Amino acid sequence: MLRYIAMRGLLAVLVAFTVSLATFFLLNVATDPAQAIAGEDAPPEVVESIRTRYGLDRPLPVRYADWLGGVVTGDFGESYYWHKPVAALVADRADKTITLALSALAVTILIAIPLGALAALNPNSWIDRFALGVAVSAQAVPNFWLGLIVIILFAVTIPIFPVSGDDSWRHYVLPAFVLGASSVPAVMRLTRTGLIEVMSADYIRTARAKGFRGWQLLRRHALRNALLPVISVLAVQLGQKFGGSVITESIFAINGLGRLALESILGADIPTVQMLIFVFAIVFVAMNLLADILNAALDPRIRIG
Amino acid sequence: MSDTEITFAIVEADSEPEALTPGQVFRRRMASHTGFLIGAGLIAVIALVAIFAPLLAPHDPFQQSLSTRMLPPVWSEGGTWDHLLGTDQNGRDYLSRLIYGTRVSITIGLGAATIGLLIGVTLGVLAGYFGGWIDHMVSFLLTAQLALPGLLLAMALVFIIGPSIWVVIGIIGVLHWTYYLVVTRSATQRIRSLDFVAAATASGAGPRQIIWHEVLPNLASQIIVIFTFELGIAILAEASLSFLGVGIQPPTPSWGLMIAEGKQAMFYRPWLVVLPGICLFLLVIGANLMGDGLRDVTTPEGRNG
Amino acid sequence: MMSLLEIRGLSVALPLPSGALHAVRDVDLTLDRGQSIGIVGESGSGKSMTALALMRLLPRGARSTASRLEFDGIDLGALEDSAFAREIAGPRIGMIFQEPMTSLNPVYTIGRQMTEAAVSRGLLSTSVARKKALHLLDRVGIPDPQMRLGQFPHQMSGGQRQRVMIAMTLMLDPELLIADEPTTALDVTVQAQILDLLDDLRRERDMALILISHDLAVVAERTDTVAVMYGGEMIEWGIADDVLHAPAHPYTQALLHAIPQVGATPSRLAAIPGTVPSLMRAPKGCVFAPRCEHRREDCVASRPPLRAGMRDHAWRCMLKAPPQTSREMEPLHGHGAAEDADIVLAARDITQVFTTRKALFAPKRDITALKGVSLELHRGETLALIGESGSGKSTLARILLGLAQPTSGKVTMLGRPIVELSPIERASFVQPVFQDPYSSLNPRRRLSEIIARPLWLRGDRNAATRDAAVAEAMDLVRLPKRLLHAFPSQLSGGQRQRVAIARALVTRPRALVCDEPTSALDVSVQAQILNLIDDLRAGMGLTCLIITHDMAVVHQVADRVAVMLEGRIVEEGPARRVLTAPESDYTRRLVAAAPRFEANFLQPEVAQ
């Protein structure tokens, strides 16, 4: 068990390192950061002076090593755009995005898991068709458009919730719904297929032969088995919520990491973009590690090899 | 034997030589699958609109007219028959722009889904067939790719490289291969362990002959299914990028961009936002219904999540 | 005396997209307390469905109807599902299944799964239930039961899991135990132990037993009565001795002739022509009529009446008296290797070590699958390689086929080391036939392509000569020409196995290596394939290595036998000698465990 977790942890660190390497080179090769800071019309001398001042004249591997050394001590460099340490910028805004992502995940769980379970227990019934309809539609609705429609509805037709801002929990209801809706199809389908698969497993037939039916059968024999893959997909979805916050936060004017990401991209603020991609990747990797550990704790086949 | 297998055992014993060929079975099931027929119908109609856009569009989609700005659709007060769906901020005919928008969406969908297919299927088949260190490498690559916040990276890269339709296709394609990989990898592993592959090896076939002659034909239906889903995903990705201003640039008619342009006026001119969203929804739901249908039709167990 | 179980007119229909499938039709069954009955039938005969219908475990959507369904005087038909689950399923009727590997829940301990049914019903306290579980595990022969209670299913072998399943059903002391193919997935020696255990437990507890099997021999030795099912109907039943030694229904007679007998002189098997019937529409006449050699005109026109023999022996047939079974024994066509025939395929001192690791960075573990195995295959002979799962016989086959490289030792083909041969040369020496006809053919290719593929790989680019060779190969294995452009999914299991043999023979290799070529097939179809192998031995002097676990198959086709145990060959010699006078301990156990029965036919007596 410990060995398993240690291996997973090592893999997570390797992934994080690879991601940072890929991001750094992609962002720095494709563009000239000095030119970006100076602006497009800046005279060459200015660009050159900026290049020397920010150390951008050094070779790429050296700059990466430098950046990585900074990361280890929590120093992600200085923002070209806001002229503040990137780490401070991110720390300032992180809480809003975490709130948004977690409440979106709650929305996903509340809609997708009961719907998927009901559909699985009544295959080809009206509820199954309804669940499939929800999944197919939710998959086809552009997320940003759903956001705008929700705003139009709740600003004009029934003004219950505030349409933008981030001051109270009421501000998070609509964005959490919009962001959460995007994960409903994947989680719903997985819950449904997982549970159908489990319910047709031989060991469920054994339990039925022992006289277990209905809720007892579900609780005693199906739930834990069906839950295992759902835990993994929820981890993936939560990881993706952070990346997905870009759209939701910009539509609902939430001053979180997603909005910061959009602003720094449009401002060619490479250090900030770099750190955000890195942080989102770390979150994703950490969530998956957590899911692996949970799975191992719940599944003796992993725990006791 | 599980319950379904019992059914199969009986049906198998039942299969007389007069039974239908796989192709006949496929066509019959396709013709009786409502979801597939609706999806295929939607896609066919939209594809025809894209091909014959110049014949169908009542106006030049780029023709601005300051005197007829933001006309409402014909059914609202103040609408005219000349502009069935009204006009936008610059007085351009909205119907014509929506019609030309099909071209952008379909081009990007097809292009990006094809690039993803080439990358994902190649890696998946190689990893699944050869296993060992190749498989470990590919799995690592997969984990790293999944950890990257895709939308954020796409935004940053498009912004840095400079937005054009080809850049958007390339970047979306390069970032959307994981689904192909996961499915083809496990399917290849399964097929590789089947006896007909061993029989081919015993007949002197090499890896290349086995992959082309034995493995790929058995992957084809699954790859087509994923392609239809990825088509929808790529179309939505382009719309998101364009909406955020880092995708297709004005004045090209892209639905995502049209929603962004209509956003300023959405409270009193909601159709500017609603109409392109509906177009996106119809195109993507068409692709998804077709994908769902193809999956049902090609898997013997019937509906499958 | 009132019967424990009485079923009258049980029918089961399964809804399929193309219509209702009549899996079981009009089945009657009576069972007394403490009595055992064997239900025998080939795949699709409805034998499992009958049991599942009784236990209300049918697949979703399936409908079962019965004119009478009584257990110990209780009308089961009138019982609510919840009452049935609480009072009948478990405490009064227990059931065990074919797949011990998947029939236990992988995420819960053995102890929890054994005790939960009794504890949740409030029948036993947790501590009493644990004591009982310990006692029962000990009774079914699980060593160290205390430790086992805390373990998970994946930590046990298949045989142990089946013992746990049995102990688990006994926790509630049922009066009837249904065992649905309980040993089909297990090795021969384990199979014998489990069947003996079931028999002992039944006597000990005066428990009734329904033993369902596709294997007549398994049932023959251990049950009081036997019922034979075919095409969803029960076509003959009676006391085991009567049914097996004086079969009255033409199907039962034909089935018994199709089974190779270990004791007798090997002779041609009487294969039943055709395949199992479609159950999509109920036949107007007798369900066996299309394949029956005694068919008369009225057989297809109306339902056959019930005929009664002595001592509750009954069958459904148009014929007033059972047909005479005057089958003369036709000797086998094939003959063994000539004296001093040259060695086609030889393995010298083969050792195979697999290095595995469970995860990317987990420590390596070595598993020695083969330990210095040597084997020779002479031209024209059939050598049977027998052994239980894990003995290394399939690993050896893969090495002989050149599909795997041994860690040490060498394989030679006609004296040439296999490593010096190109894949194409190697292919022209030896070809495989596999066990599972459903995975050995590429489902996306037509038969013509599948059979011609080895020729194409060899470099035959002339389509006309390829077509001619394919036609010849199909002839050889008795496949009709009209199937030339069919896909595998359109064929039955037996036909697929013929295609696999045709593909193996199309390049005229020197030897075939057949890995369990008939164990996935029904008895009547197995007979067709074994006869085909005999024909090929006679017709083309086929040299063949057959890997099998089935003594009867060995007896039927082999000239020589090699017995494998834990990666070694423990005995080798002429088939007749090894089967009748085994020298090694292991072979003796293996031969003793093989299910068998003497089929010396008597004429059934008919009650007037």
Side-chain angles (χ1 to χ4, degrees), chain B residues 6-7 10 13-22 136 195-196 198-199 201-203 205 209 213-214 217-218, chain C residues 16 21 49 52 278 280 360 403 426-427 431-432 434 439-445 453 457 482-483 487 490-491 503:
Chain B
I6 292 170
T7 327
I10 297 166
D14 193 10
S15 62
E16 307 276 312
E18 292 78 23
L20 303 172
T21 66
H136 288 312
D195 289 338
F196 66 80
T201 312
S203 298
Q209 284 158 322
H213 195 265
E214 318 288 347
N218 284 291
Chain C
L16 290 182
L21 179 95
M49 282 292 163
L52 293 175
S278 156
M280 295 307 288
L360 185 50
L403 295 178
R426 192 194 66 218
Q431 280 292 303
F434 297 101
S439 88
S440 65
L441 307 178
N442 188 338
R444 298 279 162 189
R445 300 276 172 204
R453 183 68 181 166
L457 286 168
R482 67 192 158 86
L483 295 180
F487 284 92
Q490 297 172 281
L491 306 185
R503 172 181 57 193

Side-chain angles (χ1 to χ4, degrees), chain A residues 206-207 209-212 216 220-221, chain C residues 85-86 89-92 110-133 136 167-174:
Chain A
T206 305
K210 286 195 282 186
F212 288 112
Q216 264 211 329
R220 282 183 174 274
H221 279 280
Chain C
R86 195 171 53 246
R92 307 207 61 184
I110 301 297
R112 180 192 147 141
Q113 295 189 58
M114 283 191 70
T115 54
E116 64 177 354
V119 172
S120 75
R121 278 190 173 81
L123 297 174
L124 301 174
S125 71
T126 313
S127 62
V128 174
R130 272 187 80 85
K131 276 201 197 98
K132 185 165 184 181
L136 282 170
M168 191 165 80
T169 50
L170 296 182
M171 282 295 290
L172 296 173
D173 300 309

Side-chain angles (χ1 to χ4, degrees), chain A residues 53 65 71 74 126 133 211 214 270 288:
Chain A
R53 182 148 61 90
V71 167
W126 68 268
I270 303 284
N288 276 280

Side-chain angles (χ1 to χ4, degrees), chain B residues 27-99:
Chain B
R27 279 191 291 277
R28 267 189 203 198
R29 287 196 187 176
M30 224 157 53
S32 61
H33 193 290
T34 324
F36 174 81
L37 294 177
I38 295 175
L42 275 172
I43 294 290
V45 168
I46 296 174
L48 287 175
V49 168
I51 293 168
F52 297 108
L55 301 176
L56 293 169
H59 294 273
D60 178 350
F62 300 101
Q63 180 65 52
Q64 303 193 1
S65 158
L66 291 179
S67 56
T68 57
R69 289 171 58 210
M70 292 213 243
L71 285 178
V74 62
W75 59 83
S76 312
E77 207 184 314
T80 65
W81 281 98
D82 193 33
H83 298 284
L84 280 177
L85 298 180
T87 58
D88 69 1
Q89 304 79 341
N90 296 315
R92 295 173 293 197
D93 181 56
Y94 222 48
L95 176 60
S96 305
R97 287 185 69 75
L98 287 174
I99 286 175

